[in-house]
């Protein structure tokens, strides 16, 4: 395609550089399989379906989402508690065990997407200025930045809790570009969230690249149109 690289690229972290939500379904299934024996009459698949529909409901509200991502540990307990309550399962001890197992197993499964670090390094080598814009609380987001040693690749890192505002607030994108000394028309943003990394930054004139890591394409009925869709970060260098 011959995409000329821009002066700066703003990167999302979770499910763009790091497989985070991307490993959550397999993790729920694994821990539900392990504990379903304590819940006679239920299958692991039913538990996962229940947790999944409760998760979708929980994260669908922007304000609940904002409060939830500020306390990621509590939220994991809430997912199982809330799902069980909707399903009419009264088993607080098992709910807690599943939540604890999920937290530990998910931590183990989180990983950097293949080729992501190599892509960041190649962009560094080509002189593209990079910023990392990540929503969430400081402990959990900085924990991942340190665990996967992401800091050296970025000229600027913005964590929602530290900055006091998160995506899709326009200050987040504009502040990052100001720090990098680049104007919106000379910037790309890359991420998996269609509101945070496509619609909102496009309104500011930033070129938006959607990271479709599942390969499922745009959701039915979505009127959001990314400037480009990629399945993996190395495609940025094509
Ligand atoms: Mg993301």
């Amino acid at each position: 395609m011959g995409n000329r690289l821009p002066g700066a690229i703003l990167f999302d972290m979770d499910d763009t550089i790091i497989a985070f939500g991307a490993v959550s379904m397999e993790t729920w299934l694994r821990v539900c399989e392990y504990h379903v024996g304590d819940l006679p009459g239920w299958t692991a698949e039913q538990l996962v379906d229940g947790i999944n529909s409760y998760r979708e409901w929980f994260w669908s509200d922007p304000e609940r989402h904002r409060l939830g991502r500020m306390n990621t540990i509590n939220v994991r307990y809430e997912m199982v508690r809330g799902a069980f309550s909707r399903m009419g399962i009264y088993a607080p001890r098992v709910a807690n065990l599943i939540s604890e197992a999920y937290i530990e197993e998910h931590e183990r499964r989180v990983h950097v997407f293949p080729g992501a670090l190599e892509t960041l390094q190649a962009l560094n080598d080509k002189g593209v200025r990079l910023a990392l814009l990540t929503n969430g609380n400081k402990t959990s987001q900085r924990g991942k930045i340190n665990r996967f040693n992401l800091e050296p690749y970025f000229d600027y890192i913005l964590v929602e809790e530290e900055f006091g505002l998160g995506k899709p607030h326009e200050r987040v994108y504009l502040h990052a570009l100001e720090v990098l000394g680049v104007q919106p028309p000379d910037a790309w943003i890359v991420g998996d969230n269609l509101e945070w990394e496509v619609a909102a930054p496009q309104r500011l004139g930033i070129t938006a690249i959607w990271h479709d890591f599942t390969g499922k394409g745009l959701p039915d009925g979505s009127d959001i149109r990314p400037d480009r869709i990629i399945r993996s970060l190395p495609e940025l260098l094509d």
Side-chain angles (χ1 to χ4, degrees):
M1 262 183 89
N3 290 290
R4 206 172 58 81
L5 289 168
I9 305 180
L10 312 177
F11 277 94
D12 167 50
M13 181 168 71
D14 291 328
D15 294 317
T16 297
I17 295 170
I18 294 172
F20 189 75
V23 296
S24 75
M25 282 310 295
E26 62 187 54
T27 310
W28 283 119
L29 186 60
R30 175 78 191 83
V31 301
C32 287
E33 278 168 354
Y34 191 80
H35 288 284
V36 73
D38 292 336
L39 299 168
W42 293 93
T43 67
E45 287 73 19
Q46 288 172 322
L47 298 184
V48 173
D49 282 351
I51 292 170
N52 217 15
S53 61
Y54 187 76
R55 283 172 67 213
E56 269 173 31
W57 170 82
F58 184 92
W59 294 116
S60 65
D61 177 72
E63 184 58 11
R64 205 161 45 227
H65 197 303
R66 193 183 66 77
L67 294 171
R69 64 181 181 258
M70 287 303 154
N71 199 330
T72 36
I73 296 293
N74 274 6
V75 156
R76 264 74 177 272
Y77 285 91
E78 171 61 19
M79 289 305 138
V80 186
R81 247 189 333 246
F84 274 26
S85 144
R86 270 195 181 181
M87 297 165 82
I89 303 175
Y90 181 74
R93 190 188 62 89
V94 182
N96 272 347
L97 287 175
I98 291 178
S99 303
E100 279 161 19
Y102 178 85
I103 291 165
E104 193 183 315
E105 182 66 17
H106 185 259
E107 179 81 359
R108 216 174 55 73
R109 291 185 186 229
V110 168
H111 62 273
V112 170
F113 282 114
L117 298 183
E118 293 80 352
T119 304
L120 296 175
Q121 184 60 56
L123 293 167
N124 285 163
D125 294 344
K126 290 171 189 290
V128 181
R129 309 264 288 151
L130 304 186
L132 185 68
L133 309 182
T134 182
N135 274 4
N137 71 80
K138 178 181 170 176
T139 309
S140 120
Q141 302 313 89
R142 285 284 170 189
K144 284 176 269 186
I145 291 166
N146 294 336
R147 173 177 172 188
F148 298 110
N149 196 25
L150 300 181
E151 196 163 347
Y153 300 100
F154 293 97
D155 300 287
Y156 178 61
I157 293 177
L158 183 151
V159 176
E160 180 181 22
E161 189 181 42
E162 294 171 350
F163 187 66
L165 287 172
K167 299 172 280 188
H169 199 289
E170 65 175 38
R171 280 295 304 150
V172 169
Y173 316 95
L174 294 176
H175 177 75
L177 290 180
E178 205 176 289
V179 173
L180 298 182
V182 168
Q183 298 294 314
D186 191 26
W188 294 355
I189 184 163
V190 184
D192 66 294
N193 185 303
L194 285 168
E195 182 57 40
W196 298 354
E197 286 106 28
V198 179
Q202 274 179 339
R203 287 193 283 271
L204 302 171
I206 299 169
T207 297
I209 302 173
W210 185 48
H211 186 232
D212 179 21
F213 63 93
T214 66
K216 289 181 182 160
L218 292 166
D220 287 342
S222 168
D223 56 0
I224 297 176
R225 288 288 167 265
D227 294 288
R228 192 179 164 197
I229 298 177
I230 57 171
R231 299 262 334 246
S232 69
L233 294 190
E235 291 173 46
L236 293 173
L237 304 168
D238 290 349

